Amino acid sequence: MGYPYSHTSEVPIISEYFGDPEARTLDGWKARGGYQGLQKALEMSPDNVVELVKASGLRGRGGAGFPTGLKWSFMPKTKDKPHYLLCNADESEPGTFKDRELMRWVPHQLIEGCLIGAYAMGAEHVYIYCRGEFFEATQVLAKAVEDAYEAGIIGDDVLGSGKKIEVTVHAGAGAYICGEETGLMSSLEGDRGEPRVKPPFPAAVGAFGMPTTINNVETLAVIPHIIKNGGEWYRQWGSDKSPGTKLFCVSGHVNRPGNYELPLGFPLKDLIYDVCGGMIGDRALKAVIPGGSSVPLLSAEEAENCALCYEGVVEAGSMLGCASVIVMDETTDIVHQVTRMASFYAHESCGQCTPCREGTAWVTTILQRIEDGRGTEDDLDTLVELTEQMTGTTICVLSDSVAAPVQSSIEKFRGEYLALIRRGERVGAA
Amino acid sequence: MSEIPFKNPGWAGNVGEYDLTEEQVRGIDFVGIRPLEGGHPGGSPTYPYMLEEKDPDAPLFEGPYAIRFEKMLTRYPTKQAALLPALNLAQEIRGHVSAETMDRVGSLLGLSSAFVRGVATFYTMYNKRPVGRHFVQVCTNISCNLSGAEDVLDAFLEHTKSEIGETSANGAFTVIEAECLAGCGFPTCVQINSRYYENVTVDEVPRIIAHLRDNAAEAASPASEE
Amino acid sequence: MAKKTKQIEEPAVDLVTLTIDGQEVRVPHGTTLLQAAEGAGTEVPHYCYHPGLSSPAMCRLCLVEVEGAPKLLPSCTTTAAEGQVVRTQSDPATRMRRGVLEFYLLNHPLDCPICDQSGECELQDYVFAEGREHGRGRDAKRVLGRDDFGGDVLFYGDRCVMCTRCVRFMSEVEEKPLLTVVDRGNRAVIDTFFDQGLEQAEWAGNVVDICPVGALVSKDFLYKARAWDLKHTDSVCPNCSQGCNIELHTRDNLVHRIKPRTNPEVNGHWMCDYGRGRYEWLNRGDRLEAPVVNLEGRNRAMGWKPALEALKARIEALGDRSVKAVVSPFWSNEDIGEVTRLVDALGGGSVTFRSPRADDEVSLAGYEGLARRKDLAPNTQGAELLGCVRVGDDAGQGGLDDLADHDGVLLVLGDALDDVPDVVAPNAALVVYLGAYTSSALSEVDFHFPVTTFAEQEGTFTNHAGRVQRFWPALSGPGTARPAWLVLGALMGALQNAEGPSRADHAFGLVAKAVKSYKGMNYETIGAQGTPSQARETVSGD
């Protein structure tokens, strides 16, 4: 269920036990149907498990939306080298807070998904890379892993199947870029978390040089349910291109911020005004970021006509990303918020690629200058051009991510920038 | 702010419709006291505590920590992969990662000191200098910013009488800005040592600080005693 | 061993055909687009790529347009595929480079007037060719200052383009990860482990070579000369028997620095700090400048003709005498070859040499077959193949006690006999010295002939593995100094009423006749990269 508020529109599949403290215990999880999916998967052939996931149409929930079954099928079928499954629990995208809930309320759901994935791809070791700041959630997960080992669910003889799968819970140390799949691999290997050029792709040369698949926490959390109930079952929600449900993390100026599990395609308007109880103080909607700070802003009008699925958000002029909906009302100082987002990227850039290393800091400096009242109209054109130069020219898309808020805000809220530049006018309390 | 009823047990974040205690939200009872020697090796590379009592001269690694370190080494195909867990563990004990710590961890893992320095300085969480007993990290990124995070930050600076990034005169507090802590639905999200304080408003700040002063042992996550 | 992938002339398996800038190119399977473009005559701008290092594709300068690909692709890591159409000069590619170069220049200090790299700087070159005319940055630049990394290396942080070639060289090639990137984002900077510096490194000078800009510079070379004033001459390092291929960079007839020259068979792209730092001896001013003949107890300078005539007369007057010779392994095969030829012509005798040796070898861990050898002379192997015998100790001293009683002819080439306390061979009937410098031991010899060092003549050295390598003259010898092979050849010609070799390749031809292992070799077959002989192992060790 939604946490900390639920709503009748929800379809709680992976969030059903949010807020239920018993669900994190092993017995509690089993009593709630846990590990039946794993049991079933172990009775199928690994290839059939992959096919089932393909049939469900599940797309990666970490932001890229790549079809999960297809990703799993890239792993080599020969087992002459160790295969690894990495669970990306390095949740750092501003606006996103779903993976923490999944880890601390239903850790066994995640473990089950990891084990099924490992089995399907011939991986004997799963690393769950948790962001370093998640002390509490990581310990819940570590304890759950320990309980699962003790019960023979993880280890040399998974559920008595004779299969061997190890799970290691690994903590990071504070770097957004380690949420990028190749950055995560670099970090796991004990290096600076610097992303790597693709090709080679992780399924060919990944962690420790071995075939590797990286999946987001939410993606893996869905897996046990798909195995239990079938691929077609999952497709009863959502659209053809975006099947199933998604955890939407809503934050900002709404009355009931929190996580809600809704079918993909759900109207953004209803999410704000119905599910989340509308805007605080009934103030007017100004802008919405539908998918975390790395996607373009939507104006109020675009937001109110947007369907929350991968293709729907693209049509509205942005991207679904990780479905972190940040709602901004009329009191929001857009320039200030965009500047803060730019400074986030400048802080988190790994520094390898020059357009990103220099560009994120430059963009931030220009925006800060504008905010300080020392900007010029040329600066706006420069910002657009610089962010163009930062798009499609780097190893990873952190550089492209700066372009999204900067370009979309200049396009859609140019008046606000100009008012600040020309007359020093700022919008009310941020 | 929202007018909908709001329950925030122990700063565990708004529990909204749910009737939950702080322990239940955080999973404190479930986790219990994590053993210093790391429990099952599968969980040994995690970083359970940011202790208030730090010992910058503590040896690396002795006693139960040595056992935990050995467990970590068994989980990876290379020694180098244990670098982040080892640095995490060293910081848990010593409170920050000094040059000597980098050197020592490097020699334990067969890595050059320069390499360890490169890794340690890449990650935000490795403190390059000692920090106060309570390391206050206030998220000011967009979701929390929209809900007044910068005022919360100012309030912390004011009430701890410290400059941003600098430790207060009595050594009790260091306050910094943090990037998104993934508690966006519970603005403003503040991390103090290992624990999240959620839905923090400006009014709450003095109470939190008093709470930290009065309940020092409790304020850290399930504290461990040797 | 880093082998340069070239376009293959002879038929080979697995070729791939693609089009680069409208030109059809055929390359072996596995070649990158950057290498393929190089083969087609196009240099794609790049920083982080280096043929001797890994390719992280992070500088983003080598991105090219590949038809059908949604984004520009890094040519240093993209493999050439059959039928690819690649454009390096198209609008998207040039616009991209212009954009990326703008980011490089944002914080780059306008140091050109005071930067050593000026004139050989890849940022200058690329920006001049394709960069924006005016910068758009209006804010203060980041300032990092200068950091002494120890040894010969200075680091100017502001100029760094973060290509990390230096970090990767230390880690992958010297296998001593002493350099790292500290911090991240635009706070990132290259550094060592605090004050540790590069003290332990023995190949650190290479990072100065591979730094594309003036961030890493040589302290020794700092402010000495402008790159465009330097003449580059292909040569061979004289400081040990590895025989690293080098360039001598000279100006005003002085060597200002040594740089390695690529040779996949010998030293790859690298050379050691020991060798690199030892060139001052080539600039010594205390040189013999004219033939000096000792007549009636007085040393008289004279021209070559009268001096050689006098020597010829003396030799003929002496008739049959025992002959000894002392040579130096710092002189060429051609020079030593003429000594042995002369000794044979005079009836034969022992030819010895002294040479310095170190206790240890300093190998480059990440490059097989490359080390600063224990043998600290460049042509020991050459001398031994010509029948010379090493005497003396590892300091290159001693071993000449037999000269005290020698009453015949003594011929000395190169060895300045600094350790001999008194006059050398006091009982000898005739002492002829051909050398670059003099010493007290030579104050009463009969003939001093000024000869050129290897840096002042054409010739060959034979390295520890028996490889014969050519070098060319980078300096002009002082006064009327001449190559020893020319002098001795003229002498022999005079004695035998024939012509001596008038060119270095003729002199080498004589050597090739005398040394079985050099069968079939000549200057053309040796070329600029040298050639292995049949002598694979050193005789007296490495």
Side-chain angles (χ1 to χ4, degrees):
Chain A
M1 247 98 79
Y3 186 82
Y5 302 105
S6 63
H7 194 271
T8 50
S9 302
E10 286 187 272
V11 177
I13 298 176
I14 57 177
S15 65
E16 190 171 348
Y17 304 111
F18 282 8
D20 179 351
E22 282 305 304
R24 57 171 73 107
T25 67
L26 180 53
D27 290 338
W29 179 245
K30 280 189 179 163
R32 287 155 179 73
Y35 290 114
Q36 287 172 17
L38 175 61
Q39 187 65 62
K40 197 160 170 213
L42 290 168
E43 287 157 14
M44 298 161 69
S45 73
D47 285 348
N48 283 346
V49 175
V50 175
E51 285 310 306
L52 179 48
V53 175
K54 266 193 189 167
S56 72
L58 173 66
R59 294 171 67 162
R61 298 294 192 232
F66 192 85
T68 305
L70 185 59
K71 194 187 223 185
W72 285 17
S73 71
F74 291 154
M75 290 288 266
K77 302 290 181 271
T78 53
K79 301 295 179 288
D80 53 343
K81 288 192 259 202
H83 291 189
Y84 294 107
L85 171 61
L86 307 185
C87 171
N88 188 343
D90 187 61
E91 180 173 58
S92 312
E93 181 76 21
T96 315
F97 53 105
K98 58 184 175 70
D99 296 336
R100 186 172 74 120
E101 306 294 6
L102 286 164
M103 286 162 71
R104 64 178 180 169
W105 292 117
V106 275
H108 282 288
Q109 178 176 250
L110 173 60
I111 293 169
E112 192 176 346
C114 289
L115 292 170
I116 294 170
Y119 171 70
M121 291 185 275
E124 287 191 355
H125 207 129
V126 179
Y127 290 97
I128 306 178
Y129 185 107
C130 309
R131 71 178 285 184
E133 293 87 341
F134 277 179
F135 291 97
E136 297 171 312
T138 307
Q139 286 314 297
V140 170
L141 184 58
K143 179 71 170 68
V145 164
E146 200 165 270
D147 291 345
Y149 263 106
E150 220 173 314
I153 295 171
I154 311 177
D156 289 335
D157 191 12
V158 175
L159 283 188
S161 67
K163 290 285 166 196
K164 175 172 146 72
I165 301 175
E166 299 281 346
V167 175
T168 297
V169 184
H170 176 99
Y176 166 72
I177 194 61
C178 292
E180 203 278 338
E181 68 174 8
T182 58
L184 193 151
M185 292 195 298
S186 296
S187 183
L188 180 68
E189 291 176 11
D191 200 347
R192 296 162 61 86
E194 292 167 341
R196 301 169 174 170
V197 154
K198 294 188 284 198
F201 290 91
V205 180
F208 311 108
M210 300 297 154
T212 307
T213 294
I214 300 101
N215 282 129
N216 176 258
V217 166
E218 190 184 350
T219 313
L220 290 167
V222 183
I223 296 293
H225 303 279
I226 289 176
I227 305 299
K228 254 188 7 191
N229 302 302
E232 279 312 304
W233 163 84
Y234 196 61
R235 283 190 167 277
Q236 70 181 282
W237 300 285
S239 71
D240 187 49
K241 289 207 185 112
S242 309
T245 61
K246 177 84 184 68
L247 273 174
F248 288 91
C249 317
V250 190
S251 61
H253 297 144
V254 290
N255 281 313
R256 290 199 290 258
N259 276 294
Y260 298 95
E261 190 171 357
L262 296 160
L264 279 160
F266 196 82
L268 177 46
K269 186 171 181 179
D270 294 349
L271 176 60
I272 294 172
Y273 293 109
D274 185 8
V275 176
C276 291
M279 308 290 292
I280 292 177
D282 267 332
R283 290 199 277 269
L285 178 66
K286 185 173 190 177
V288 177
I289 301 177
S293 66
S294 303
V295 306
L297 274 70
L298 292 173
S299 66
E301 195 192 317
E302 288 168 338
E304 288 176 357
N305 291 299
C306 176
L308 287 166
C309 54
Y310 294 97
E311 63 277 19
V313 184
V314 169
E315 213 182 290
S318 183
M319 293 189 296
L320 185 62
C322 34
S324 311
V325 180
I326 305 171
V327 181
M328 293 177 264
D329 70 19
E330 55 191 336
T331 65
T332 307
D333 181 346
I334 295 283
V335 178
H336 179 73
Q337 295 306 329
V338 170
T339 306
R340 181 59 181 88
M341 285 192 276
S343 77
F344 164 72
Y345 291 111
H347 184 224
E348 297 292 345
S349 167
C350 77
Q352 281 190 106
C353 304
T354 300
C356 177
R357 180 179 73 248
E358 300 288 352
T360 52
W362 194 1
V363 163
T364 305
T365 307
I366 296 175
L367 284 166
Q368 282 169 344
R369 195 157 36 76
I370 291 175
E371 242 212 304
D372 276 350
R374 294 178 292 120
T376 66
E377 289 183 40
D378 281 345
D379 283 333
L380 295 181
D381 297 328
T382 304
L383 282 171
V384 172
E385 276 178 50
L386 288 181
T387 48
E388 263 313 302
Q389 285 167 209
M390 290 164 66
T391 303
T393 54
T394 49
I395 291 176
C396 82
V397 295
L398 188 149
S399 186
D400 301 41
S401 299
V402 159
V406 171
Q407 287 180 356
S408 60
S409 66
I410 290 177
E411 185 197 321
K412 298 172 190 178
F413 296 96
R414 197 180 184 94
E416 222 175 288
Y417 282 96
L418 288 175
L420 183 49
I421 289 168
R422 289 174 181 161
R423 296 184 296 279
E425 283 170 17
R426 284 162 225 274
V427 177
Chain B
M1 282 294 285
S2 162
E3 274 130 25
I4 288 175
F6 201 86
K7 283 171 276 170
N8 189 354
W11 294 289
N14 179 21
V15 292
E17 299 172 0
Y18 297 80
D19 204 0
L20 295 164
T21 64
E22 184 192 352
E23 288 73 20
Q24 287 172 328
V25 175
R26 298 187 192 282
I28 292 174
D29 292 336
F30 172 73
V31 171
I33 307 276
R34 294 290 298 154
L36 286 181
E37 64 268 14
H40 190 280
S44 59
T46 62
Y47 181 4
Y49 308 124
M50 234 188 101
L51 303 168
E52 280 173 52
E53 302 304 327
K54 302 150 170 101
D55 182 2
D57 300 314
L60 305 174
F61 295 102
E62 269 186 8
Y65 294 119
I67 298 173
R68 193 154 115 205
F69 177 66
E70 289 303 318
K71 284 181 187 169
M72 286 177 192
L73 291 177
T74 65
R75 304 308 291 180
Y76 305 96
T78 65
K79 270 188 160 178
Q80 184 178 322
L83 178 54
L84 266 77
L87 285 171
N88 288 344
L89 182 56
Q91 178 160 285
E92 178 180 331
I93 300 164
R94 289 182 167 181
H96 71 290
V97 178
S98 61
E100 197 269 319
T101 304
M102 294 175 197
D103 194 39
R104 172 70 182 141
V105 172
S107 59
L108 284 171
L109 297 172
L111 301 168
S112 78
S113 312
F115 179 82
V116 176
R117 182 180 184 207
V119 173
T121 53
F122 182 85
Y123 297 94
T124 310
M125 284 178 69
Y126 294 129
N127 304 323
K128 315 306 181 287
R129 303 179 297 162
V131 294
R133 281 169 63 81
H134 307 289
F135 188 28
V136 178
Q137 303 150 76
V138 181
C139 172
T140 56
N141 212 316
I142 177 154
S143 300
C144 291
N145 205 307
L146 289 169
S147 310
E150 288 177 359
D151 295 332
V152 171
L153 174 67
D154 289 340
F156 268 107
L157 288 169
E158 185 195 321
H159 291 281
T160 59
K161 299 198 193 29
S162 60
E163 299 295 314
I164 192 156
E166 302 298 324
T167 305
S168 62
N170 57 5
F173 297 99
T174 307
V175 179
I176 63 163
E177 264 187 87
E179 301 294 357
C180 179
L181 292 169
C184 322
F186 309 94
T188 297
C189 193
V190 178
Q191 179 167 18
I192 303 180
N193 289 358
S194 329
R195 183 175 137 173
Y196 274 29
Y197 288 70
E198 298 171 66
N199 288 117
V200 175
T201 58
V202 171
D203 308 322
E204 302 270 303
V205 173
R207 280 185 54 213
I208 292 175
I209 290 172
H211 173 86
L212 290 170
R213 285 200 177 112
D214 297 340
N215 308 320
E218 206 186 292
S221 285
S224 60
E225 260 96 42
E226 279 243 12
Chain C
M1 281 247 244
K3 282 213 187 304
K4 199 170 168 156
T5 314
K6 298 194 274 260
Q7 190 144 9
I8 299 207
E9 284 94 75
E10 71 271 9
V13 291
D14 248 5
L15 285 186
V16 163
T17 308
L18 65 156
T19 310
I20 300 181
D21 294 336
Q23 195 188 334
E24 199 177 82
V25 172
R26 295 176 75 213
V27 294
H29 180 72
T31 308
T32 64
L33 294 183
L34 191 144
Q35 290 165 331
E38 212 180 349
T42 304
E43 202 229 306
V44 179
H46 59 274
Y47 287 144
C48 66
Y49 167 76
H50 186 280
L53 304 170
S54 60
S55 288
M58 58 191 262
C59 72
R60 313 317 287 177
L61 211 40
C62 76
L63 301 177
V64 295
E65 196 188 347
V66 176
E67 210 170 87
K71 292 200 308 190
L72 298 177
L73 299 179
S75 56
C76 65
T77 52
T78 306
T79 324
E82 183 69 33
Q84 252 174 353
V85 177
V86 179
R87 286 185 267 270
T88 72
Q89 305 299 321
S90 65
D91 236 20
T94 49
R95 243 183 309 121
M96 178 282 310
R97 278 200 295 276
R98 201 167 134 100
V100 173
L101 284 170
E102 178 172 29
F103 289 118
Y104 274 109
L105 286 173
L106 175 69
N107 278 303
H108 197 87
L110 294 178
D111 272 0
C112 298
I114 55 165
C115 175
D116 273 1
Q117 199 84 2
S118 199
E120 50 185 21
C121 170
E122 291 177 40
L123 185 59
Q124 273 185 343
D125 294 344
Y126 296 155
V127 172
F128 186 73
E130 298 185 296
R132 294 178 71 92
E133 295 81 22
H134 302 289
R136 288 192 280 193
R138 287 176 46 197
D139 313 285
K141 296 193 179 198
R142 169 204 70 212
V143 173
L144 288 168
R146 195 176 83 171
D147 198 356
D148 187 338
F149 278 175
D152 189 46
V153 182
L154 275 178
F155 176 64
Y156 285 85
D158 307 321
R159 302 175 187 165
C160 177
V161 294
M162 293 298 297
C163 70
T164 68
R165 279 183 182 178
C166 55
V167 176
R168 285 178 285 127
F169 170 80
M170 293 308 300
S171 165
E172 295 165 14
V173 187
E174 181 157 0
E175 292 187 8
K176 287 189 187 138
L178 296 171
L179 287 175
T180 188
V181 180
V182 172
D183 217 326
R184 69 174 186 231
N186 81 327
R187 288 88 55 210
V189 67
I190 307 284
D191 204 350
T192 63
F193 181 68
F194 301 101
D195 289 335
Q196 182 186 63
L198 296 172
E199 301 303 324
Q200 303 160 34
E202 301 189 88
W203 299 80
N206 292 297
V207 305
V208 173
D209 294 339
I210 60 181
C211 180
V213 295
L216 288 166
V217 297
S218 156
K219 279 184 209 163
D220 177 73
F221 186 69
L222 191 65
Y223 306 143
K224 261 201 334 194
R226 274 314 196 179
W228 55 83
D229 285 339
L230 295 170
K231 191 180 79 168
H232 296 195
T233 309
D234 286 358
S235 189
V236 176
C237 180
N239 295 309
C240 87
S241 61
Q242 173 73 27
C244 291
N245 286 200
I246 60 171
E247 280 180 3
L248 291 173
H249 290 185
T250 57
R251 190 196 72 182
D252 302 334
N253 211 37
L254 291 169
V255 176
H256 285 288
R257 65 180 180 188
I258 302 181
K259 287 278 188 189
R261 186 165 52 97
T262 303
N263 187 330
E265 306 294 328
V266 184
N267 58 305
H269 309 276
W270 320 118
M271 73 180 297
C272 71
D273 296 343
Y274 176 90
R276 189 191 290 270
R278 281 168 172 72
Y279 63 84
E280 280 297 338
W281 62 274
L282 299 170
N283 294 337
R284 278 175 69 172
D286 56 331
R287 297 286 297 271
L288 294 179
E289 301 212 359
V292 168
V293 180
N294 192 311
L295 294 172
E296 294 134 16
R298 277 181 58 196
N299 285 330
R300 288 166 190 278
M302 56 178 75
W304 280 105
K305 206 153 176 287
L308 284 173
E309 276 171 11
L311 179 52
K312 173 187 174 207
R314 279 290 292 279
I315 290 174
E316 284 169 341
L318 284 175
D320 268 340
R321 293 285 181 140
S322 63
V323 181
K324 284 187 195 275
V326 177
V327 297
S328 163
F330 288 85
W331 260 257
S332 67
N333 287 322
E334 292 77 358
D335 299 326
I336 299 174
E338 283 301 290
V339 170
T340 55
R341 214 161 69 90
L342 177 59
V343 168
D344 285 344
L346 295 178
S350 75
V351 184
T352 59
F353 68 90
R354 289 105 58 85
S355 68
R357 285 175 64 84
D359 286 330
D360 61 335
E361 190 175 87
V362 178
S363 55
L364 185 55
Y367 192 90
E368 209 189 297
L370 176 55
R372 199 284 330 268
R373 301 287 164 182
K374 289 185 196 166
D375 180 355
L376 299 176
N379 204 22
T380 311
Q381 175 73 304
E384 288 180 343
L385 285 169
L386 283 163
C388 310
V389 174
R390 182 175 182 261
V391 297
D393 63 18
D394 282 353
Q397 300 183 337
L400 298 177
D401 294 335
D402 61 319
L403 293 183
D405 304 325
H406 179 58
D407 63 355
V409 176
L410 174 63
L411 188 57
V412 181
L413 167 66
D415 191 331
L417 305 173
D418 289 315
D419 61 308
V420 175
D422 300 311
V423 169
V424 70
N427 301 311
L430 170 65
V431 180
V432 179
Y433 172 70
L434 299 97
Y437 324 103
T438 189
S439 72
S440 57
L442 301 161
S443 56
E444 288 173 28
V445 311
D446 303 292
F447 291 84
H448 287 77
F449 289 133
V451 293
T452 49
T453 63
F454 85 99
E456 297 154 354
Q457 65 183 75
E458 210 182 333
T460 58
F461 285 145
T462 306
N463 80 352
H464 73 107
R467 185 185 190 84
V468 181
Q469 306 191 107
R470 288 178 67 182
F471 50 79
W472 281 263
L475 303 167
S476 311
T480 56
R482 293 284 179 272
W485 58 260
L486 183 65
V487 173
L488 293 172
L491 175 64
M492 287 234 301
L495 288 171
Q496 296 169 338
N497 237 334
E499 290 281 320
S502 59
R503 289 169 24 173
D505 54 346
H506 293 166
F508 182 77
L510 295 170
V511 171
K513 277 208 212 124
V515 179
K516 276 216 301 261
S517 306
Y518 297 167
K519 187 164 171 200
M521 275 191 205
N522 57 54
Y523 271 13
E524 255 186 61
T525 64
I526 296 170
Q529 297 265 287
T531 191
S533 69
Q534 282 151 30
R536 298 278 168 179
E537 284 158 30
T538 50
V539 176
S540 69
D542 44 23

